[in-house]
Amino acid sequence: MQNVQIQTLNGQGVTIAAVIHQPAGFDASKQYPVIVVAHPGGGVKEQASGLYAQKLAEQGLLAIAFDASYQGASTGMPRQLENPYIRTEDVSAVVDYLTTLPYVDASRIGAMGICAGAGYTANAAINDRRIKAVGTVSAVNIGQMFRNGWENTVKDADALPYIEHGSQVRTADASGAELAILPLAPMREEDAPNEELREAWEYYHTPRAQHPNAPGFMTARSLPQIITYDAYNKAEAFLTQPLQIVAGTQAGSKWMSDDLLARAASTDKHMHLIEGANHMSLYDQQPYVDEAVGVLAEFFQSRL
């Protein structure tokens, strides 16, 4: 395991903090395929993405987990900015870095993500042809989630007040007021509308997986960009890479995995459903994680 700092060229002057997980018997004189692993919204590399990177390495794959710009141990202000366009660019910025490493085979770079990280990864693959294979776990298209609700029960147009609120927040931020924030997961157990999202509170705010760099909220000024963002934009034309989707049968978010499967142009696309798992189960719960990793490891090994 190696901690690295990645100086991005995205025009924001951000340095991304990342951890490279190396397989047993790693030999820097050889070349390896590599998997970029993107964390959920509000998460950090020490949580789900790091767990998946570690387990992929145990399966013989080189993997890198990283903190998004403005989050975790990465630099950038304001803190906890969740700009979906920069989150997508982060994936490609990590790919930039990987192409400079002598032990990485730049023709065999894959990428995967968990929750919103999966949506950002799909979007990055649409834009970046260096990504040769794509995996998702509990995929969330963050724009869809904020527009349409966790279970797709809200119409797009009904999300207009969120754009209005985010716009007004930007005005307040510009005045020098303390930056307004918005939860990405329930901040209190009693705020959770259902058991699945109660688990999101538990994951981020109890010893289950809490981390001091993952406060569980974002800047509210991100709302206008998120509401109008589509992580799967033009997937029908440009998401042609092999695609492996993993979702739980009990996940309220499963409809976003279904949508990605339907929209992707790839002729090599598959969904693996994990019986009994909900959205949060696939972050850290055994045996669900091992099943997901087994599917993804075999997928990346055969496609890269």
Side-chain angles (χ1 to χ4, degrees):
M1 193 168 74
Q2 178 186 4
N3 288 285
V4 298
Q5 301 290 314
I6 301 170
Q7 184 61 53
T8 69
L9 299 177
N10 61 13
Q12 307 297 313
V14 169
T15 300
I16 289 176
V19 176
I20 299 174
H21 294 260
Q22 299 158 342
F26 174 77
D27 182 347
S29 69
K30 298 180 180 178
Q31 284 200 320
Y32 295 82
V34 63
I35 314 302
V36 180
V37 188
H39 64 68
V44 288
K45 64 185 180 303
E46 289 81 9
Q47 296 172 325
S49 60
L51 177 63
Y52 273 80
Q54 172 194 326
K55 287 185 171 292
L56 287 171
E58 291 170 0
Q59 295 293 318
L61 290 160
L62 191 67
I64 181 168
F66 65 95
D67 287 335
S69 296
Y70 309 100
Q71 299 174 28
S74 295
T75 66
M77 295 293 290
R79 302 308 296 168
Q80 302 310 126
L81 185 72
E82 185 76 15
N83 182 316
Y85 301 97
I86 295 177
R87 283 290 313 260
T88 293
E89 166 61 24
D90 285 344
V91 178
S92 287
V94 175
V95 173
D96 290 347
Y97 171 75
L98 292 172
T99 65
T100 71
L101 299 179
Y103 55 81
V104 166
D105 184 340
S107 68
R108 294 193 292 165
I109 297 175
M112 65 156 288
I114 304 103
C115 187
Y120 295 134
T121 297
N123 198 202
I126 291 167
N127 301 330
D128 192 336
R129 307 311 299 179
R130 298 172 301 174
I131 298 172
K132 303 302 185 183
V134 179
T136 68
V137 174
S138 292
V140 162
N141 179 342
I142 195 167
Q144 287 180 320
M145 185 187 76
F146 272 87
R147 286 191 301 273
N148 306 126
W150 186 248
E151 296 179 336
N152 196 23
T153 56
V154 182
K155 295 178 181 178
D156 281 1
D158 292 337
L160 185 60
Y162 287 105
I163 300 178
E164 179 67 31
H165 174 68
S167 301
Q168 294 306 316
V169 162
R170 290 179 66 110
T171 296
D173 289 349
S175 73
E178 183 177 355
L179 297 185
I181 62 173
L182 194 72
L184 277 164
M187 298 296 289
R188 303 179 304 170
E189 185 174 15
E190 57 266 32
D191 294 335
N194 55 47
E195 173 57 24
E196 190 171 33
L197 293 177
R198 190 205 67 79
E199 276 200 52
W201 163 81
E202 179 183 88
Y203 184 85
Y204 286 108
H205 300 292
T206 76
R208 173 173 169 179
Q210 66 186 358
H211 190 277
N213 286 347
F217 59 79
M218 68 175 188
T219 55
R221 67 183 290 108
S222 304
L223 265 178
Q225 292 159 322
I226 288 174
I227 293 293
T228 57
Y229 174 78
D230 178 14
Y232 309 155
N233 182 47
K234 297 300 180 181
E236 299 86 349
F238 302 126
L239 186 48
T240 60
Q241 298 97 320
L243 172 65
Q244 178 64 65
I245 297 168
V246 178
T249 59
Q250 304 305 308
S253 60
K254 178 179 171 291
W255 63 277
M256 287 178 275
S257 290
D258 293 335
D259 189 43
L260 177 59
L261 183 68
R263 291 172 64 179
S266 176
T267 57
D268 181 7
K269 57 182 179 179
H270 312 273
M271 180 183 286
H272 180 85
L273 295 177
I274 297 183
E275 189 64 38
N278 66 20
H279 181 91
M280 300 302 302
S281 302
L282 298 183
Y283 281 35
D284 65 338
Q285 296 298 293
Q286 303 300 334
Y288 302 129
V289 170
D290 283 344
E291 183 175 341
V293 170
V295 169
L296 290 162
E298 182 180 357
F299 166 73
F300 284 122
Q301 287 164 347
S302 64
R303 300 318 194 273
L304 295 176

